[in-house]
Amino acid sequence: MGKGDKKSKRGKISIGSFGKLRPKRKKFNVRPKPTKDAQKKEA
């Protein structure tokens, strides 16, 4: 368990890979698409 271990979080950081222990950050939606109900309220 260390920087050379592909399965540990520290090893994944040093190698630069992603997986279960170190998931990739997903780009989150800042504003969700307006639904039909929301459009009716605005109009």
Side-chain angles (χ1 to χ4, degrees):
M1 301 227 1
K3 288 187 179 179
D5 185 16
K6 290 182 182 178
K7 292 192 176 182
S8 68
K9 186 175 183 179
R10 182 59 48 197
K12 287 195 174 293
I13 290 168
S14 71
I15 294 165
S17 63
F18 296 92
K20 185 80 173 174
L21 285 170
R22 185 175 179 246
K24 283 188 179 180
R25 283 199 155 178
K26 293 179 181 176
K27 289 185 179 180
F28 56 92
N29 234 346
V30 179
R31 292 184 77 188
K33 291 183 180 177
T35 58
K36 290 180 182 178
D37 295 333
Q39 288 175 351
K40 286 180 183 176
K41 289 179 183 176
E42 288 176 6

PDB file of all heavy atoms in Angstrom:
ATOM      1  N   MET A   1       0.847  -1.178   0.000  1.00  0.00           N
ATOM      2  CA  MET A   1       0.000   0.000   0.000  1.00  0.00           C
ATOM      3  C   MET A   1       0.893   1.241   0.000  1.00  0.00           C
ATOM      4  O   MET A   1       1.554   1.535   0.975  1.00  0.00           O
ATOM      5  CB  MET A   1      -0.907   0.010   1.231  1.00  0.00           C
ATOM      6  CG  MET A   1      -1.793  -1.189   1.311  1.00  0.00           C
ATOM      7  SD  MET A   1      -3.534  -1.002   1.666  1.00  0.00           S
ATOM      8  CE  MET A   1      -3.921   0.651   1.841  1.00  0.00           C
ATOM      9  N   GLY A   2       0.885   1.924  -1.090  1.00  0.00           N
ATOM     10  CA  GLY A   2       1.694   3.127  -1.213  1.00  0.00           C
ATOM     11  C   GLY A   2       1.559   3.712  -2.599  1.00  0.00           C
ATOM     12  O   GLY A   2       0.588   3.447  -3.298  1.00  0.00           O
ATOM     13  N   LYS A   3       2.544   4.486  -2.974  1.00  0.00           N
ATOM     14  CA  LYS A   3       2.484   5.166  -4.265  1.00  0.00           C
ATOM     15  C   LYS A   3       2.554   4.207  -5.446  1.00  0.00           C
ATOM     16  O   LYS A   3       2.062   4.517  -6.513  1.00  0.00           O
ATOM     17  CB  LYS A   3       3.605   6.198  -4.371  1.00  0.00           C
ATOM     18  CG  LYS A   3       3.369   7.405  -3.494  1.00  0.00           C
ATOM     19  CD  LYS A   3       4.391   8.472  -3.740  1.00  0.00           C
ATOM     20  CE  LYS A   3       4.141   9.695  -2.881  1.00  0.00           C
ATOM     21  NZ  LYS A   3       5.138  10.726  -3.097  1.00  0.00           N
ATOM     22  N   GLY A   4       3.174   3.040  -5.265  1.00  0.00           N
ATOM     23  CA  GLY A   4       3.292   2.085  -6.363  1.00  0.00           C
ATOM     24  C   GLY A   4       2.104   1.162  -6.502  1.00  0.00           C
ATOM     25  O   GLY A   4       1.988   0.427  -7.483  1.00  0.00           O
ATOM     26  N   ASP A   5       1.188   1.194  -5.534  1.00  0.00           N
ATOM     27  CA  ASP A   5       0.040   0.287  -5.530  1.00  0.00           C
ATOM     28  C   ASP A   5      -1.088   0.868  -6.370  1.00  0.00           C
ATOM     29  O   ASP A   5      -1.638   1.917  -6.038  1.00  0.00           O
ATOM     30  CB  ASP A   5      -0.416   0.054  -4.086  1.00  0.00           C
ATOM     31  CG  ASP A   5      -1.531  -0.986  -3.982  1.00  0.00           C
ATOM     32  OD1 ASP A   5      -1.739  -1.727  -4.956  1.00  0.00           O
ATOM     33  OD2 ASP A   5      -2.169  -1.057  -2.928  1.00  0.00           O
ATOM     34  N   LYS A   6      -1.454   0.192  -7.462  1.00  0.00           N
ATOM     35  CA  LYS A   6      -2.485   0.696  -8.373  1.00  0.00           C
ATOM     36  C   LYS A   6      -3.870   0.715  -7.741  1.00  0.00           C
ATOM     37  O   LYS A   6      -4.740   1.439  -8.184  1.00  0.00           O
ATOM     38  CB  LYS A   6      -2.546  -0.165  -9.632  1.00  0.00           C
ATOM     39  CG  LYS A   6      -1.360  -0.011 -10.541  1.00  0.00           C
ATOM     40  CD  LYS A   6      -1.533  -0.868 -11.772  1.00  0.00           C
ATOM     41  CE  LYS A   6      -0.338  -0.772 -12.685  1.00  0.00           C
ATOM     42  NZ  LYS A   6      -0.485  -1.638 -13.859  1.00  0.00           N
ATOM     43  N   LYS A   7      -4.077  -0.126  -6.711  1.00  0.00           N
ATOM     44  CA  LYS A   7      -5.417  -0.247  -6.134  1.00  0.00           C
ATOM     45  C   LYS A   7      -5.687   0.733  -4.992  1.00  0.00           C
ATOM     46  O   LYS A   7      -6.828   0.865  -4.569  1.00  0.00           O
ATOM     47  CB  LYS A   7      -5.652  -1.676  -5.657  1.00  0.00           C
ATOM     48  CG  LYS A   7      -5.724  -2.657  -6.812  1.00  0.00           C
ATOM     49  CD  LYS A   7      -6.226  -3.997  -6.370  1.00  0.00           C
ATOM     50  CE  LYS A   7      -6.380  -4.924  -7.568  1.00  0.00           C
ATOM     51  NZ  LYS A   7      -6.924  -6.228  -7.182  1.00  0.00           N
ATOM     52  N   SER A   8      -4.653   1.402  -4.482  1.00  0.00           N
ATOM     53  CA  SER A   8      -4.866   2.350  -3.386  1.00  0.00           C
ATOM     54  C   SER A   8      -5.098   3.752  -3.943  1.00  0.00           C
ATOM     55  O   SER A   8      -4.724   4.068  -5.070  1.00  0.00           O
ATOM     56  CB  SER A   8      -3.666   2.367  -2.440  1.00  0.00           C
ATOM     57  OG  SER A   8      -2.549   2.913  -3.080  1.00  0.00           O
ATOM     58  N   LYS A   9      -5.715   4.586  -3.140  1.00  0.00           N
ATOM     59  CA  LYS A   9      -6.011   5.953  -3.575  1.00  0.00           C
ATOM     60  C   LYS A   9      -4.729   6.725  -3.856  1.00  0.00           C
ATOM     61  O   LYS A   9      -4.624   7.448  -4.844  1.00  0.00           O
ATOM     62  CB  LYS A   9      -6.844   6.659  -2.503  1.00  0.00           C
ATOM     63  CG  LYS A   9      -7.325   8.025  -2.928  1.00  0.00           C
ATOM     64  CD  LYS A   9      -8.245   8.637  -1.911  1.00  0.00           C
ATOM     65  CE  LYS A   9      -8.771   9.966  -2.389  1.00  0.00           C
ATOM     66  NZ  LYS A   9      -9.697  10.587  -1.439  1.00  0.00           N
ATOM     67  N   ARG A  10      -3.724   6.571  -2.975  1.00  0.00           N
ATOM     68  CA  ARG A  10      -2.451   7.280  -3.149  1.00  0.00           C
ATOM     69  C   ARG A  10      -1.754   6.827  -4.430  1.00  0.00           C
ATOM     70  O   ARG A  10      -1.166   7.635  -5.142  1.00  0.00           O
ATOM     71  CB  ARG A  10      -1.568   6.994  -1.923  1.00  0.00           C
ATOM     72  CG  ARG A  10      -0.241   7.675  -1.923  1.00  0.00           C
ATOM     73  CD  ARG A  10      -0.283   9.176  -1.999  1.00  0.00           C
ATOM     74  NE  ARG A  10      -1.192   9.803  -1.087  1.00  0.00           N
ATOM     75  CZ  ARG A  10      -1.615  11.066  -1.203  1.00  0.00           C
ATOM     76  NH1 ARG A  10      -1.177  11.824  -2.183  1.00  0.00           N
ATOM     77  NH2 ARG A  10      -2.462  11.581  -0.355  1.00  0.00           N
ATOM     78  N   GLY A  11      -1.815   5.528  -4.720  1.00  0.00           N
ATOM     79  CA  GLY A  11      -1.213   5.009  -5.948  1.00  0.00           C
ATOM     80  C   GLY A  11      -1.915   5.531  -7.182  1.00  0.00           C
ATOM     81  O   GLY A  11      -1.279   5.858  -8.187  1.00  0.00           O
ATOM     82  N   LYS A  12      -3.223   5.618  -7.133  1.00  0.00           N
ATOM     83  CA  LYS A  12      -3.990   6.126  -8.275  1.00  0.00           C
ATOM     84  C   LYS A  12      -3.677   7.602  -8.523  1.00  0.00           C
ATOM     85  O   LYS A  12      -3.612   8.040  -9.662  1.00  0.00           O
ATOM     86  CB  LYS A  12      -5.487   5.921  -8.047  1.00  0.00           C
ATOM     87  CG  LYS A  12      -5.889   4.470  -8.182  1.00  0.00           C
ATOM     88  CD  LYS A  12      -7.383   4.323  -8.331  1.00  0.00           C
ATOM     89  CE  LYS A  12      -7.767   2.893  -8.603  1.00  0.00           C
ATOM     90  NZ  LYS A  12      -7.316   2.413  -9.885  1.00  0.00           N
ATOM     91  N   ILE A  13      -3.452   8.363  -7.457  1.00  0.00           N
ATOM     92  CA  ILE A  13      -3.098   9.774  -7.609  1.00  0.00           C
ATOM     93  C   ILE A  13      -1.735   9.896  -8.286  1.00  0.00           C
ATOM     94  O   ILE A  13      -1.564  10.696  -9.210  1.00  0.00           O
ATOM     95  CB  ILE A  13      -3.102  10.487  -6.234  1.00  0.00           C
ATOM     96  CG1 ILE A  13      -4.532  10.604  -5.724  1.00  0.00           C
ATOM     97  CG2 ILE A  13      -2.466  11.860  -6.333  1.00  0.00           C
ATOM     98  CD1 ILE A  13      -4.651  11.031  -4.280  1.00  0.00           C
ATOM     99  N   SER A  14      -0.762   9.069  -7.848  1.00  0.00           N
ATOM    100  CA  SER A  14       0.585   9.161  -8.427  1.00  0.00           C
ATOM    101  C   SER A  14       0.613   8.668  -9.870  1.00  0.00           C
ATOM    102  O   SER A  14       1.317   9.229 -10.704  1.00  0.00           O
ATOM    103  CB  SER A  14       1.582   8.382  -7.581  1.00  0.00           C
ATOM    104  OG  SER A  14       1.381   7.002  -7.695  1.00  0.00           O
ATOM    105  N   ILE A  15      -0.161   7.613 -10.170  1.00  0.00           N
ATOM    106  CA  ILE A  15      -0.200   7.087 -11.539  1.00  0.00           C
ATOM    107  C   ILE A  15      -1.067   7.986 -12.429  1.00  0.00           C
ATOM    108  O   ILE A  15      -0.782   8.165 -13.604  1.00  0.00           O
ATOM    109  CB  ILE A  15      -0.741   5.635 -11.537  1.00  0.00           C
ATOM    110  CG1 ILE A  15       0.250   4.711 -10.822  1.00  0.00           C
ATOM    111  CG2 ILE A  15      -0.989   5.137 -12.941  1.00  0.00           C
ATOM    112  CD1 ILE A  15      -0.328   3.369 -10.437  1.00  0.00           C
ATOM    113  N   GLY A  16      -2.121   8.544 -11.851  1.00  0.00           N
ATOM    114  CA  GLY A  16      -3.018   9.421 -12.605  1.00  0.00           C
ATOM    115  C   GLY A  16      -4.188   8.686 -13.205  1.00  0.00           C
ATOM    116  O   GLY A  16      -4.704   9.066 -14.247  1.00  0.00           O
ATOM    117  N   SER A  17      -4.623   7.601 -12.537  1.00  0.00           N
ATOM    118  CA  SER A  17      -5.768   6.843 -13.034  1.00  0.00           C
ATOM    119  C   SER A  17      -6.955   7.049 -12.104  1.00  0.00           C
ATOM    120  O   SER A  17      -6.823   7.599 -11.008  1.00  0.00           O
ATOM    121  CB  SER A  17      -5.408   5.360 -13.115  1.00  0.00           C
ATOM    122  OG  SER A  17      -5.111   4.849 -11.841  1.00  0.00           O
ATOM    123  N   PHE A  18      -8.111   6.589 -12.548  1.00  0.00           N
ATOM    124  CA  PHE A  18      -9.338   6.739 -11.780  1.00  0.00           C
ATOM    125  C   PHE A  18      -9.986   5.386 -11.592  1.00  0.00           C
ATOM    126  O   PHE A  18      -9.713   4.448 -12.322  1.00  0.00           O
ATOM    127  CB  PHE A  18     -10.307   7.696 -12.492  1.00  0.00           C
ATOM    128  CG  PHE A  18      -9.772   9.081 -12.597  1.00  0.00           C
ATOM    129  CD1 PHE A  18      -9.055   9.474 -13.712  1.00  0.00           C
ATOM    130  CD2 PHE A  18      -9.978   9.994 -11.595  1.00  0.00           C
ATOM    131  CE1 PHE A  18      -8.550  10.752 -13.819  1.00  0.00           C
ATOM    132  CE2 PHE A  18      -9.474  11.286 -11.681  1.00  0.00           C
ATOM    133  CZ  PHE A  18      -8.765  11.655 -12.795  1.00  0.00           C
ATOM    134  N   GLY A  19     -10.863   5.271 -10.605  1.00  0.00           N
ATOM    135  CA  GLY A  19     -11.549   4.011 -10.345  1.00  0.00           C
ATOM    136  C   GLY A  19     -12.502   4.155  -9.174  1.00  0.00           C
ATOM    137  O   GLY A  19     -13.014   5.235  -8.902  1.00  0.00           O
ATOM    138  N   LYS A  20     -12.738   3.034  -8.483  1.00  0.00           N
ATOM    139  CA  LYS A  20     -13.690   3.009  -7.374  1.00  0.00           C
ATOM    140  C   LYS A  20     -13.211   3.892  -6.218  1.00  0.00           C
ATOM    141  O   LYS A  20     -13.988   4.655  -5.652  1.00  0.00           O
ATOM    142  CB  LYS A  20     -13.848   1.554  -6.906  1.00  0.00           C
ATOM    143  CG  LYS A  20     -14.875   1.346  -5.840  1.00  0.00           C
ATOM    144  CD  LYS A  20     -16.259   1.305  -6.399  1.00  0.00           C
ATOM    145  CE  LYS A  20     -17.279   0.931  -5.333  1.00  0.00           C
ATOM    146  NZ  LYS A  20     -18.633   1.017  -5.834  1.00  0.00           N
ATOM    147  N   LEU A  21     -11.931   3.800  -5.885  1.00  0.00           N
ATOM    148  CA  LEU A  21     -11.394   4.582  -4.763  1.00  0.00           C
ATOM    149  C   LEU A  21     -11.205   6.044  -5.126  1.00  0.00           C
ATOM    150  O   LEU A  21     -11.247   6.913  -4.264  1.00  0.00           O
ATOM    151  CB  LEU A  21     -10.049   4.005  -4.313  1.00  0.00           C
ATOM    152  CG  LEU A  21     -10.104   2.715  -3.516  1.00  0.00           C
ATOM    153  CD1 LEU A  21      -8.734   2.119  -3.348  1.00  0.00           C
ATOM    154  CD2 LEU A  21     -10.725   2.955  -2.156  1.00  0.00           C
ATOM    155  N   ARG A  22     -10.956   6.315  -6.407  1.00  0.00           N
ATOM    156  CA  ARG A  22     -10.704   7.695  -6.856  1.00  0.00           C
ATOM    157  C   ARG A  22     -11.560   7.974  -8.081  1.00  0.00           C
ATOM    158  O   ARG A  22     -11.100   7.893  -9.212  1.00  0.00           O
ATOM    159  CB  ARG A  22      -9.214   7.845  -7.178  1.00  0.00           C
ATOM    160  CG  ARG A  22      -8.811   9.252  -7.542  1.00  0.00           C
ATOM    161  CD  ARG A  22      -7.301   9.335  -7.732  1.00  0.00           C
ATOM    162  NE  ARG A  22      -6.962  10.689  -8.113  1.00  0.00           N
ATOM    163  CZ  ARG A  22      -6.456  11.029  -9.292  1.00  0.00           C
ATOM    164  NH1 ARG A  22      -6.194  10.132 -10.196  1.00  0.00           N
ATOM    165  NH2 ARG A  22      -6.173  12.279  -9.565  1.00  0.00           N
ATOM    166  N   PRO A  23     -12.841   8.288  -7.875  1.00  0.00           N
ATOM    167  CA  PRO A  23     -13.718   8.532  -9.013  1.00  0.00           C
ATOM    168  C   PRO A  23     -13.433   9.869  -9.687  1.00  0.00           C
ATOM    169  O   PRO A  23     -12.930  10.799  -9.054  1.00  0.00           O
ATOM    170  CB  PRO A  23     -15.116   8.518  -8.395  1.00  0.00           C
ATOM    171  CG  PRO A  23     -14.912   8.864  -6.967  1.00  0.00           C
ATOM    172  CD  PRO A  23     -13.540   8.379  -6.599  1.00  0.00           C
ATOM    173  N   LYS A  24     -13.742   9.946 -10.969  1.00  0.00           N
ATOM    174  CA  LYS A  24     -13.586  11.203 -11.696  1.00  0.00           C
ATOM    175  C   LYS A  24     -14.678  12.154 -11.255  1.00  0.00           C
ATOM    176  O   LYS A  24     -15.812  11.743 -10.992  1.00  0.00           O
ATOM    177  CB  LYS A  24     -13.722  10.970 -13.209  1.00  0.00           C
ATOM    178  CG  LYS A  24     -12.506  10.365 -13.833  1.00  0.00           C
ATOM    179  CD  LYS A  24     -12.651  10.349 -15.341  1.00  0.00           C
ATOM    180  CE  LYS A  24     -11.432   9.767 -15.991  1.00  0.00           C
ATOM    181  NZ  LYS A  24     -11.548   9.736 -17.452  1.00  0.00           N
ATOM    182  N   ARG A  25     -14.359  13.413 -11.205  1.00  0.00           N
ATOM    183  CA  ARG A  25     -15.379  14.411 -10.862  1.00  0.00           C
ATOM    184  C   ARG A  25     -16.268  14.622 -12.066  1.00  0.00           C
ATOM    185  O   ARG A  25     -15.795  14.884 -13.171  1.00  0.00           O
ATOM    186  CB  ARG A  25     -14.729  15.738 -10.478  1.00  0.00           C
ATOM    187  CG  ARG A  25     -14.161  15.732  -9.094  1.00  0.00           C
ATOM    188  CD  ARG A  25     -13.988  17.155  -8.646  1.00  0.00           C
ATOM    189  NE  ARG A  25     -14.027  17.204  -7.203  1.00  0.00           N
ATOM    190  CZ  ARG A  25     -13.863  18.310  -6.508  1.00  0.00           C
ATOM    191  NH1 ARG A  25     -13.624  19.444  -7.113  1.00  0.00           N
ATOM    192  NH2 ARG A  25     -13.927  18.288  -5.204  1.00  0.00           N
ATOM    193  N   LYS A  26     -17.561  14.546 -11.841  1.00  0.00           N
ATOM    194  CA  LYS A  26     -18.516  14.784 -12.919  1.00  0.00           C
ATOM    195  C   LYS A  26     -18.859  16.265 -12.928  1.00  0.00           C
ATOM    196  O   LYS A  26     -19.030  16.882 -11.874  1.00  0.00           O
ATOM    197  CB  LYS A  26     -19.783  13.958 -12.695  1.00  0.00           C
ATOM    198  CG  LYS A  26     -19.544  12.478 -12.816  1.00  0.00           C
ATOM    199  CD  LYS A  26     -20.803  11.710 -12.567  1.00  0.00           C
ATOM    200  CE  LYS A  26     -20.577  10.232 -12.654  1.00  0.00           C
ATOM    201  NZ  LYS A  26     -21.764   9.464 -12.329  1.00  0.00           N
ATOM    202  N   LYS A  27     -18.970  16.822 -14.124  1.00  0.00           N
ATOM    203  CA  LYS A  27     -19.395  18.225 -14.231  1.00  0.00           C
ATOM    204  C   LYS A  27     -20.890  18.269 -13.945  1.00  0.00           C
ATOM    205  O   LYS A  27     -21.684  17.639 -14.633  1.00  0.00           O
ATOM    206  CB  LYS A  27     -19.098  18.767 -15.637  1.00  0.00           C
ATOM    207  CG  LYS A  27     -17.624  18.951 -15.891  1.00  0.00           C
ATOM    208  CD  LYS A  27     -17.389  19.588 -17.232  1.00  0.00           C
ATOM    209  CE  LYS A  27     -15.918  19.794 -17.483  1.00  0.00           C
ATOM    210  NZ  LYS A  27     -15.673  20.401 -18.782  1.00  0.00           N
ATOM    211  N   PHE A  28     -21.250  18.994 -12.901  1.00  0.00           N
ATOM    212  CA  PHE A  28     -22.652  19.047 -12.525  1.00  0.00           C
ATOM    213  C   PHE A  28     -23.353  20.196 -13.253  1.00  0.00           C
ATOM    214  O   PHE A  28     -22.737  21.193 -13.611  1.00  0.00           O
ATOM    215  CB  PHE A  28     -22.812  19.193 -11.010  1.00  0.00           C
ATOM    216  CG  PHE A  28     -22.097  20.383 -10.421  1.00  0.00           C
ATOM    217  CD1 PHE A  28     -22.750  21.589 -10.286  1.00  0.00           C
ATOM    218  CD2 PHE A  28     -20.779  20.291 -10.011  1.00  0.00           C
ATOM    219  CE1 PHE A  28     -22.102  22.687  -9.755  1.00  0.00           C
ATOM    220  CE2 PHE A  28     -20.119  21.372  -9.474  1.00  0.00           C
ATOM    221  CZ  PHE A  28     -20.788  22.575  -9.348  1.00  0.00           C
ATOM    222  N   ASN A  29     -24.633  20.011 -13.477  1.00  0.00           N
ATOM    223  CA  ASN A  29     -25.453  21.007 -14.155  1.00  0.00           C
ATOM    224  C   ASN A  29     -25.728  22.155 -13.198  1.00  0.00           C
ATOM    225  O   ASN A  29     -26.265  21.952 -12.111  1.00  0.00           O
ATOM    226  CB  ASN A  29     -26.782  20.368 -14.578  1.00  0.00           C
ATOM    227  CG  ASN A  29     -27.043  20.545 -16.053  1.00  0.00           C
ATOM    228  OD1 ASN A  29     -26.383  21.342 -16.702  1.00  0.00           O
ATOM    229  ND2 ASN A  29     -27.994  19.816 -16.575  1.00  0.00           N
ATOM    230  N   VAL A  30     -25.366  23.363 -13.574  1.00  0.00           N
ATOM    231  CA  VAL A  30     -25.598  24.509 -12.711  1.00  0.00           C
ATOM    232  C   VAL A  30     -27.089  24.836 -12.687  1.00  0.00           C
ATOM    233  O   VAL A  30     -27.689  24.986 -11.638  1.00  0.00           O
ATOM    234  CB  VAL A  30     -24.769  25.724 -13.197  1.00  0.00           C
ATOM    235  CG1 VAL A  30     -25.045  26.918 -12.311  1.00  0.00           C
ATOM    236  CG2 VAL A  30     -23.297  25.390 -13.173  1.00  0.00           C
ATOM    237  N   ARG A  31     -27.690  24.902 -13.875  1.00  0.00           N
ATOM    238  CA  ARG A  31     -29.131  25.166 -13.966  1.00  0.00           C
ATOM    239  C   ARG A  31     -29.783  24.027 -14.727  1.00  0.00           C
ATOM    240  O   ARG A  31     -29.472  23.813 -15.900  1.00  0.00           O
ATOM    241  CB  ARG A  31     -29.398  26.480 -14.695  1.00  0.00           C
ATOM    242  CG  ARG A  31     -28.941  27.696 -13.917  1.00  0.00           C
ATOM    243  CD  ARG A  31     -29.316  28.963 -14.617  1.00  0.00           C
ATOM    244  NE  ARG A  31     -30.725  29.250 -14.420  1.00  0.00           N
ATOM    245  CZ  ARG A  31     -31.397  30.221 -15.043  1.00  0.00           C
ATOM    246  NH1 ARG A  31     -30.795  30.989 -15.903  1.00  0.00           N
ATOM    247  NH2 ARG A  31     -32.655  30.422 -14.798  1.00  0.00           N
ATOM    248  N   PRO A  32     -30.698  23.310 -14.105  1.00  0.00           N
ATOM    249  CA  PRO A  32     -31.394  22.249 -14.829  1.00  0.00           C
ATOM    250  C   PRO A  32     -32.299  22.828 -15.910  1.00  0.00           C
ATOM    251  O   PRO A  32     -32.740  23.983 -15.813  1.00  0.00           O
ATOM    252  CB  PRO A  32     -32.205  21.541 -13.746  1.00  0.00           C
ATOM    253  CG  PRO A  32     -32.330  22.522 -12.646  1.00  0.00           C
ATOM    254  CD  PRO A  32     -31.117  23.412 -12.720  1.00  0.00           C
ATOM    255  N   LYS A  33     -32.540  22.052 -16.939  1.00  0.00           N
ATOM    256  CA  LYS A  33     -33.398  22.524 -18.032  1.00  0.00           C
ATOM    257  C   LYS A  33     -34.799  22.780 -17.491  1.00  0.00           C
ATOM    258  O   LYS A  33     -35.336  21.985 -16.706  1.00  0.00           O
ATOM    259  CB  LYS A  33     -33.462  21.472 -19.134  1.00  0.00           C
ATOM    260  CG  LYS A  33     -32.155  21.326 -19.870  1.00  0.00           C
ATOM    261  CD  LYS A  33     -32.279  20.328 -20.988  1.00  0.00           C
ATOM    262  CE  LYS A  33     -30.965  20.191 -21.730  1.00  0.00           C
ATOM    263  NZ  LYS A  33     -31.044  19.178 -22.783  1.00  0.00           N
ATOM    264  N   PRO A  34     -35.422  23.883 -17.868  1.00  0.00           N
ATOM    265  CA  PRO A  34     -36.763  24.172 -17.360  1.00  0.00           C
ATOM    266  C   PRO A  34     -37.787  23.167 -17.885  1.00  0.00           C
ATOM    267  O   PRO A  34     -37.773  22.811 -19.052  1.00  0.00           O
ATOM    268  CB  PRO A  34     -37.054  25.582 -17.874  1.00  0.00           C
ATOM    269  CG  PRO A  34     -36.134  25.777 -19.014  1.00  0.00           C
ATOM    270  CD  PRO A  34     -34.924  24.926 -18.740  1.00  0.00           C
ATOM    271  N   THR A  35     -38.654  22.737 -17.002  1.00  0.00           N
ATOM    272  CA  THR A  35     -39.695  21.794 -17.390  1.00  0.00           C
ATOM    273  C   THR A  35     -40.897  22.550 -17.923  1.00  0.00           C
ATOM    274  O   THR A  35     -40.977  23.785 -17.855  1.00  0.00           O
ATOM    275  CB  THR A  35     -40.110  20.941 -16.181  1.00  0.00           C
ATOM    276  OG1 THR A  35     -40.565  21.825 -15.151  1.00  0.00           O
ATOM    277  CG2 THR A  35     -38.955  20.114 -15.663  1.00  0.00           C
ATOM    278  N   LYS A  36     -41.857  21.817 -18.437  1.00  0.00           N
ATOM    279  CA  LYS A  36     -43.064  22.447 -18.992  1.00  0.00           C
ATOM    280  C   LYS A  36     -43.854  23.173 -17.907  1.00  0.00           C
ATOM    281  O   LYS A  36     -44.421  24.224 -18.146  1.00  0.00           O
ATOM    282  CB  LYS A  36     -43.945  21.392 -19.662  1.00  0.00           C
ATOM    283  CG  LYS A  36     -43.340  20.842 -20.935  1.00  0.00           C
ATOM    284  CD  LYS A  36     -44.233  19.815 -21.570  1.00  0.00           C
ATOM    285  CE  LYS A  36     -43.609  19.233 -22.827  1.00  0.00           C
ATOM    286  NZ  LYS A  36     -44.447  18.211 -23.428  1.00  0.00           N
ATOM    287  N   ASP A  37     -43.871  22.607 -16.683  1.00  0.00           N
ATOM    288  CA  ASP A  37     -44.594  23.242 -15.578  1.00  0.00           C
ATOM    289  C   ASP A  37     -43.972  24.588 -15.216  1.00  0.00           C
ATOM    290  O   ASP A  37     -44.663  25.568 -14.955  1.00  0.00           O
ATOM    291  CB  ASP A  37     -44.580  22.329 -14.344  1.00  0.00           C
ATOM    292  CG  ASP A  37     -45.347  21.028 -14.610  1.00  0.00           C
ATOM    293  OD1 ASP A  37     -46.258  21.051 -15.462  1.00  0.00           O
ATOM    294  OD2 ASP A  37     -45.003  20.022 -13.967  1.00  0.00           O
ATOM    295  N   ALA A  38     -42.644  24.667 -15.242  1.00  0.00           N
ATOM    296  CA  ALA A  38     -41.956  25.898 -14.883  1.00  0.00           C
ATOM    297  C   ALA A  38     -42.180  26.974 -15.949  1.00  0.00           C
ATOM    298  O   ALA A  38     -42.292  28.148 -15.630  1.00  0.00           O
ATOM    299  CB  ALA A  38     -40.468  25.627 -14.715  1.00  0.00           C
ATOM    300  N   GLN A  39     -42.270  26.562 -17.205  1.00  0.00           N
ATOM    301  CA  GLN A  39     -42.501  27.517 -18.277  1.00  0.00           C
ATOM    302  C   GLN A  39     -43.903  28.114 -18.178  1.00  0.00           C
ATOM    303  O   GLN A  39     -44.107  29.291 -18.462  1.00  0.00           O
ATOM    304  CB  GLN A  39     -42.318  26.837 -19.639  1.00  0.00           C
ATOM    305  CG  GLN A  39     -40.864  26.535 -19.957  1.00  0.00           C
ATOM    306  CD  GLN A  39     -40.716  25.762 -21.249  1.00  0.00           C
ATOM    307  OE1 GLN A  39     -41.688  25.304 -21.822  1.00  0.00           O
ATOM    308  NE2 GLN A  39     -39.472  25.625 -21.708  1.00  0.00           N
ATOM    309  N   LYS A  40     -44.882  27.317 -17.755  1.00  0.00           N
ATOM    310  CA  LYS A  40     -46.251  27.815 -17.619  1.00  0.00           C
ATOM    311  C   LYS A  40     -46.339  28.859 -16.496  1.00  0.00           C
ATOM    312  O   LYS A  40     -47.047  29.834 -16.610  1.00  0.00           O
ATOM    313  CB  LYS A  40     -47.205  26.655 -17.293  1.00  0.00           C
ATOM    314  CG  LYS A  40     -47.465  25.758 -18.494  1.00  0.00           C
ATOM    315  CD  LYS A  40     -48.398  24.633 -18.122  1.00  0.00           C
ATOM    316  CE  LYS A  40     -48.613  23.688 -19.278  1.00  0.00           C
ATOM    317  NZ  LYS A  40     -49.435  22.548 -18.917  1.00  0.00           N
ATOM    318  N   LYS A  41     -45.592  28.644 -15.401  1.00  0.00           N
ATOM    319  CA  LYS A  41     -45.619  29.569 -14.280  1.00  0.00           C
ATOM    320  C   LYS A  41     -44.999  30.913 -14.646  1.00  0.00           C
ATOM    321  O   LYS A  41     -45.454  31.967 -14.199  1.00  0.00           O
ATOM    322  CB  LYS A  41     -44.863  28.982 -13.089  1.00  0.00           C
ATOM    323  CG  LYS A  41     -45.587  27.821 -12.447  1.00  0.00           C
ATOM    324  CD  LYS A  41     -44.794  27.260 -11.293  1.00  0.00           C
ATOM    325  CE  LYS A  41     -45.495  26.046 -10.703  1.00  0.00           C
ATOM    326  NZ  LYS A  41     -44.696  25.423  -9.644  1.00  0.00           N
ATOM    327  N   GLU A  42     -43.943  30.883 -15.481  1.00  0.00           N
ATOM    328  CA  GLU A  42     -43.261  32.136 -15.876  1.00  0.00           C
ATOM    329  C   GLU A  42     -44.140  32.963 -16.821  1.00  0.00           C
ATOM    330  O   GLU A  42     -44.151  34.177 -16.766  1.00  0.00           O
ATOM    331  CB  GLU A  42     -41.934  31.810 -16.572  1.00  0.00           C
ATOM    332  CG  GLU A  42     -40.890  31.285 -15.612  1.00  0.00           C
ATOM    333  CD  GLU A  42     -39.618  30.879 -16.328  1.00  0.00           C
ATOM    334  OE1 GLU A  42     -39.517  31.125 -17.553  1.00  0.00           O
ATOM    335  OE2 GLU A  42     -38.728  30.322 -15.670  1.00  0.00           O
ATOM    336  N   ALA A  43     -44.880  32.314 -17.687  1.00  0.00           N
ATOM    337  CA  ALA A  43     -45.671  33.025 -18.703  1.00  0.00           C
ATOM    338  C   ALA A  43     -46.932  33.627 -18.147  1.00  0.00           C
ATOM    339  O   ALA A  43     -47.388  33.385 -17.108  1.00  0.00           O
ATOM    340  CB  ALA A  43     -46.025  32.061 -19.830  1.00  0.00           C
TER     341      ALA A  43
END
